[in-house]
Amino acid sequence: MPTVLELASSRRSVRSFEERSVDLGDIIYALETARQAPSGANRQPWRFVVVTDSETKRRVREICEEVEREFHGKAPGWMKEWFRKRGIDWRKPFLEEAPALIFVFGRRTEPYWVQSVWIAVGYMLLALEERGLATVTYTPSKVGWANQLLGVPEEYVLQTILPVGYAKGAPSKPPRLPLKEIAFRERWGQPLAPG
Amino acid sequence: MPTVLELASSRRSVRSFEERSVDLGDIIYALETARQAPSGANRQPWRFVVVTDSETKRRVREICEEVEREFHGKAPGWMKEWFRKRGIDWRKPFLEEAPALIFVFGRRTEPYWVQSVWIAVGYMLLALEERGLATVTYTPSKVGWANQLLGVPEEYVLQTILPVGYAKGAPSKPPRLPLKEIAFRERWGQPLAPG
């Protein structure tokens, strides 16, 4: 079994998927992992809807491309540059191509609900990587439509969609800042380790 | 090596620590894991300050107990009941007893900064568990003081403090909802797996 650091290091955000389907057991494995996450007052504010139906995925892509087209038009310059470099635009074919979409909702009435849900998302990313599955945390710039489309009660807010499948091609991993620029000892700016 | 699900399952939130110190290498391991997390536009909005100095820890405890005393007085009834059942009150001795405190900050000017930071926190929880270390995501109800105490620029906001050490005693894990209550297929309310 790889270590947590190895899984975190090998994992890449993937936006292009092979056609072959994923084993529902692997998705359940990731959800079981998420289920174990800690949460504010153990309120477990996460809910998941796994979508594999082609017609629903087609509709999700359609809606997301519409909201993204608007968003990309208004994004700040630096973000447009990032999108361009990563080859990201308003088109979201992966929402239709990925064999499964995991919709992640958070119950907005619970304490630390956003934080708790995203711990669980972090857990899922590593669990999927362990099973050889790829994903990306894709959060559309508008989210209310998802409640209607999937029949989700209004107190739950879509936090992200994880398209899940096998990576097509070998996506690069954007570089990370060196540890010494992000971690300090005792006070901001002081080196973490001696020497 | 345990699997991700095994680590997630064995992990408990720990609020009481043995005196023995932790290896800085294990903390660096957790930070290296966090460093690999994905983030909005790869902006890596996380920053960490590792505190082991006794005098700083004492001061942190003092400040947190002051803000928590106020918060606990005003908490809603159901939350007071949760605190009582878990033996949690305004006292935070673990902030002084844990050999190390990892302060986690997020840069509030970045896209999806809260979400990104908490993915990284999820990664760290599993990395610490893998190294046999215990922690809890403790977020004081006021956070601005941490910038002043640790010299952190004001655009970074304290997201949580992870006290890190070896668990004292064997804390229980509060029960989780069954998977069928939190995960559905195609639409809210439909069973995830057949049968």
Side-chain angles (χ1 to χ4, degrees):
Chain A
M1 264 321 140
T3 64
V4 172
L5 177 55
E6 285 165 349
L7 290 171
S9 301
S10 62
R11 187 197 167 276
R12 276 129 180 75
S13 292
V14 166
R15 296 176 178 83
S16 183
F17 298 91
E18 289 183 11
E19 263 185 54
R20 73 175 154 135
S21 66
V22 299
D23 188 338
L24 183 61
D26 286 335
I27 289 184
I28 290 175
Y29 177 81
L31 296 171
E32 286 286 7
T33 305
R35 197 169 75 88
Q36 296 297 328
S39 58
N42 192 37
R43 300 288 286 183
Q44 306 167 65
W46 40 68
R47 295 293 183 275
F48 308 96
V49 181
V50 178
V51 169
T52 57
D53 175 69
S54 310
E55 182 46 36
T56 309
K57 288 193 294 171
R58 196 194 56 72
R59 185 73 189 116
V60 169
R61 175 182 177 178
E62 195 174 78
I63 295 167
C64 290
E65 291 191 336
E66 201 180 305
V67 301
E68 295 309 333
R69 212 194 295 240
E70 195 186 324
F71 174 75
H72 277 256
K74 296 187 298 193
W78 71 264
M79 202 183 278
K80 279 186 177 149
E81 177 61 18
W82 155 259
F83 286 142
R84 195 191 55 72
K85 266 176 26 195
R86 297 295 294 172
I88 298 170
D89 61 25
W90 59 268
R91 279 170 295 218
K92 304 296 165 193
F94 57 77
L95 294 172
E96 205 172 346
E97 289 164 8
L101 305 178
I102 305 177
F103 283 72
V104 181
F105 292 86
R107 190 178 165 104
R108 60 175 161 72
T109 52
E110 302 298 352
Y112 296 108
W113 64 281
V114 171
Q115 291 81 350
S116 305
V117 168
W118 286 86
I119 288 177
V121 170
Y123 276 30
M124 291 174 83
L125 297 183
L126 295 175
L128 290 169
E129 178 70 15
E130 188 180 33
R131 292 298 176 108
L133 289 170
T135 191
V136 61
T137 57
Y138 167 66
T139 306
S141 41
K142 289 180 187 167
V143 295
W145 56 268
N147 294 63
Q148 193 166 10
L149 186 71
L150 305 175
V152 176
E154 60 96 26
E155 68 265 31
Y156 293 91
V157 180
L158 181 65
Q159 289 293 290
T160 195
I161 302 173
L162 301 176
V164 177
Y166 294 93
K168 191 192 267 177
S172 65
K173 180 156 182 151
R176 298 297 191 263
L177 296 167
L179 190 62
K180 64 178 186 208
E181 290 182 28
I182 61 167
F184 309 108
R185 182 69 184 272
E186 308 303 342
R187 270 185 80 82
W188 185 272
Q190 288 185 182
L192 183 61
Chain B
M1 265 319 141
T3 65
V4 172
L5 178 55
E6 284 165 349
L7 290 170
S9 302
S10 62
R11 187 194 168 277
R12 276 128 181 74
S13 292
V14 165
R15 296 176 178 83
S16 184
F17 298 91
E18 289 183 12
E19 264 184 52
R20 70 175 154 135
S21 66
V22 300
D23 188 338
L24 184 62
D26 287 335
I27 289 184
I28 290 176
Y29 177 81
L31 296 171
E32 286 285 9
T33 304
R35 196 169 76 89
Q36 295 296 329
S39 58
N42 192 35
R43 300 288 287 185
Q44 307 166 64
W46 40 70
R47 295 293 184 275
F48 308 95
V49 181
V50 178
V51 168
T52 57
D53 176 69
S54 310
E55 182 47 38
T56 310
K57 288 194 292 172
R58 197 195 55 73
R59 184 75 189 115
V60 168
R61 174 182 178 176
E62 195 173 80
I63 295 168
C64 289
E65 291 191 336
E66 201 179 304
V67 301
E68 295 308 335
R69 212 194 295 240
E70 194 186 324
F71 174 75
H72 278 254
K74 296 187 296 191
W78 70 264
M79 202 184 278
K80 278 186 175 147
E81 177 61 17
W82 156 260
F83 287 142
R84 196 191 54 72
K85 267 177 24 199
R86 299 294 295 170
I88 298 170
D89 61 22
W90 58 269
R91 280 169 295 217
K92 303 295 164 194
F94 57 77
L95 294 172
E96 203 172 347
E97 288 164 7
L101 304 178
I102 305 178
F103 283 72
V104 181
F105 292 87
R107 191 178 165 105
R108 60 175 161 74
T109 51
E110 303 298 354
Y112 295 107
W113 64 281
V114 171
Q115 291 83 348
S116 305
V117 168
W118 286 86
I119 289 177
V121 169
Y123 276 30
M124 293 175 82
L125 297 183
L126 296 175
L128 290 169
E129 178 70 15
E130 187 180 33
R131 291 296 176 110
L133 289 169
T135 190
V136 62
T137 56
Y138 168 66
T139 307
S141 40
K142 288 180 188 168
V143 295
W145 55 269
N147 294 65
Q148 191 165 12
L149 187 71
L150 305 176
V152 176
E154 61 96 25
E155 68 266 31
Y156 293 91
V157 179
L158 181 64
Q159 290 293 290
T160 196
I161 303 173
L162 301 176
V164 178
Y166 293 93
K168 190 193 267 179
S172 66
K173 179 154 183 155
R176 298 298 190 263
L177 295 167
L179 190 62
K180 65 177 185 210
E181 289 182 27
I182 62 167
F184 308 108
R185 181 71 184 270
E186 308 302 343
R187 269 185 81 81
W188 185 271
Q190 289 185 180
L192 183 60

